Amino acid sequence: MGKFLFTSESVTEGHPDKVCDQISDAVLDTILEKDPEAHVACEVSATTGLIHVMGEINTTCYADIDSIAREVINSIGYNRPECGFNGNTCAIISSIDSQSPDIAMGVDNSYEVREGEQDQLNITGAGDQGIMFGFACNETPEYMPLPISLAHKLAKQLTKVRKDWVLPYLRPDGKTQVTVEYEDNKPVRIDTVLISTQHAEEVTIDQIRIDLVEKVIKPVIPMELMDDKTRILVNPTGRFVLGGPAADTGLTGRKIIVDTYGGYSRHGGGAFSGKDPTKVDRSAAYAARWAAKNVVAAGLADKCEIQLSYAIGVAKPVSIMVDSFGTGKVSDEILSKAVSMVFDLRPAAIIRDLDLKKPIYRKLAAYGHMGREDLGVEWEKTNRTEELKKAVEALLK
């Protein structure tokens, strides 16, 4: 393909959309801790002085929505007036209903069970129809594309120097972006690094730019990938004082590309946060990532994208497709069959294998759901590589 540029962005936990994602997943975690069988679909919107929590929840436990939301907002750093949004004083509105019984009847009693396939793992039907994608490549140790990997690391570092009071004038809202130059599909240099961060009014733009290069960019971006043509842009508008929900309305599920692969892979369109694991938008996307990562880790392809599709109320996926973009050591047809042999992709099996009934989700709601080896999540484990190799060998005989 010769040379091309590819760009991915990330945002900090103080971005208004990410505030909403974290509240949604904090509600989910609180409920799953007490009631692992709960069905939760929780969405949040945020604007100046107001948080609105809404959704459909069936559970046997009580969740104090007001307290959960305020704790999340304050922990992010919106806990004093100068940040423009304050978890101690903002209004919280809760509009929670129960899950539709029409949906519940398919989730709790799948099509397969109703057709007489009495397998325990057939009981749970998919919570909705839809398509999900998982992806992996060998560009980074965590098998993620380099642009989104670096963008997330910059966003984490930006938050770290704020919370550690290294740069006390920083405020919670921020965005990062990294443009990588590729040559023959391999990353060879960093073309552009962009950071926009909320800050106190009294600090100068010159000081911000000096500090962010030294304290955020240099500790993260590999120097061997930068050269004298690499552009560094810090707060290019010159001012970013008003930020967070006071500057921009936030909404759960509006950063789905940040949550996955930074645009490097296709996306099915479904958001993750606030959804319990019977919602295949979330659980099947994790499973597809798990399978794709194991394909690459097994050395069966340099890149692997897996598409899954489901019908509401049906346990078995409608389709499974593997695309190795011409890097596969065997055909994509063989890889698709091997994935089907090694990974049980029915919702109940995914929930069991990836241990998805635990309250693990709030920590995933910022800095990406994929590549999170730092959190020890099951879908980042390369524990099916040998089985995949054996399945491929068997299929080739």
Side-chain angles (χ1 to χ4, degrees), residues 294 297-298 342 382-393:
N294 274 269
V342 172
T382 54
N383 52 2
R384 296 285 176 94
T385 55
E386 294 305 315
E387 291 177 68
L388 278 169
K389 291 176 186 177
K390 291 176 181 177
V392 167
E393 288 175 4

Side-chain angles (χ1 to χ4, degrees), residues 326-337:
T327 71
K329 304 305 183 282
V330 295
S331 71
D332 290 346
E333 181 182 4
I334 293 291
L335 290 174
S336 297
K337 290 179 180 178

Side-chain angles (χ1 to χ4, degrees), residues 52-315:
H52 188 183
V53 183
M54 57 205 125
E56 299 79 44
I57 298 176
N58 282 2
T59 183
T60 59
C61 72
Y62 170 73
D64 187 341
I65 301 294
D66 186 286
S67 296
I68 294 168
R70 293 188 192 282
E71 191 277 325
V72 171
I73 297 164
N74 286 328
S75 69
I76 290 169
Y78 289 117
N79 53 8
R80 55 195 195 278
E82 56 264 35
C83 291
F85 195 81
N86 192 336
N88 298 305
T89 59
C90 67
I92 310 285
I93 298 175
S94 178
S95 305
I96 303 294
D97 203 350
S98 59
Q99 184 186 51
S100 163
D102 295 345
I103 296 175
M105 66 183 290
V107 174
D108 298 332
N109 189 30
S110 76
Y111 172 84
E112 286 89 344
V113 169
R114 284 178 274 124
E115 291 294 305
E117 296 184 40
Q118 299 298 323
D119 185 317
Q120 186 67 25
L121 293 175
N122 277 339
I123 291 176
T124 303
D128 200 354
Q129 71 174 54
I131 58 175
M132 302 86 209
F133 287 92
F135 180 80
C137 62
N138 58 10
E139 291 181 12
T140 62
E142 67 272 25
Y143 297 96
M144 288 287 285
L146 183 62
I148 188 65
S149 177
L150 292 177
H152 282 324
K153 289 175 181 177
L154 285 172
K156 286 182 184 178
Q157 181 68 7
L158 187 58
T159 297
K160 185 177 189 301
V161 297
R162 171 178 64 87
K163 287 190 167 183
D164 290 349
W165 294 94
V166 175
L167 300 177
Y169 59 77
L170 294 180
R171 300 292 182 257
D173 198 357
K175 303 179 80 171
T176 64
Q177 189 169 286
V178 177
T179 301
V180 175
E181 182 178 310
Y182 284 78
E183 188 170 350
D184 296 328
N185 276 320
K186 300 293 183 184
V188 294
R189 62 179 290 272
I190 305 298
D191 182 80
T192 306
V193 177
L194 167 61
I195 299 180
S196 295
T197 182
Q198 186 187 8
H199 58 85
E201 189 164 12
E202 64 272 11
V203 66
T204 67
I205 184 62
D206 290 338
Q207 188 62 54
I208 294 170
R209 287 171 176 165
I210 291 169
D211 287 345
L212 263 61
V213 168
E214 292 299 318
K215 305 296 184 183
V216 178
I217 294 173
K218 286 186 177 180
V220 168
I221 302 296
M223 289 299 105
E224 66 271 18
L225 293 179
M226 299 181 74
D227 56 29
D228 56 1
K229 294 182 180 180
T230 299
R231 291 193 302 166
I232 296 178
L233 301 173
V234 174
N235 281 19
T237 66
R239 178 181 168 89
F240 188 177
V241 173
L242 187 63
D248 186 14
T249 298
L251 188 65
T252 296
R254 204 157 54 183
K255 284 291 177 284
I256 58 176
I257 299 302
V258 172
D259 286 342
T260 51
Y261 308 101
Y264 202 93
S265 170
R266 286 171 282 194
H267 197 295
F272 301 155
S273 289
K275 297 178 181 178
D276 76 80
T278 65
K279 279 73 170 175
V280 284
D281 275 342
R282 175 168 229 159
S283 54
Y286 293 163
R289 160 65 178 172
W290 181 38
K293 185 172 183 178
N294 274 269
V295 168
V296 176
L300 297 172
D302 295 332
K303 294 182 181 180
C304 179
E305 181 182 79
I306 296 178
Q307 185 204 51
L308 306 177
S309 69
Y310 291 83
I312 188 168
V314 180

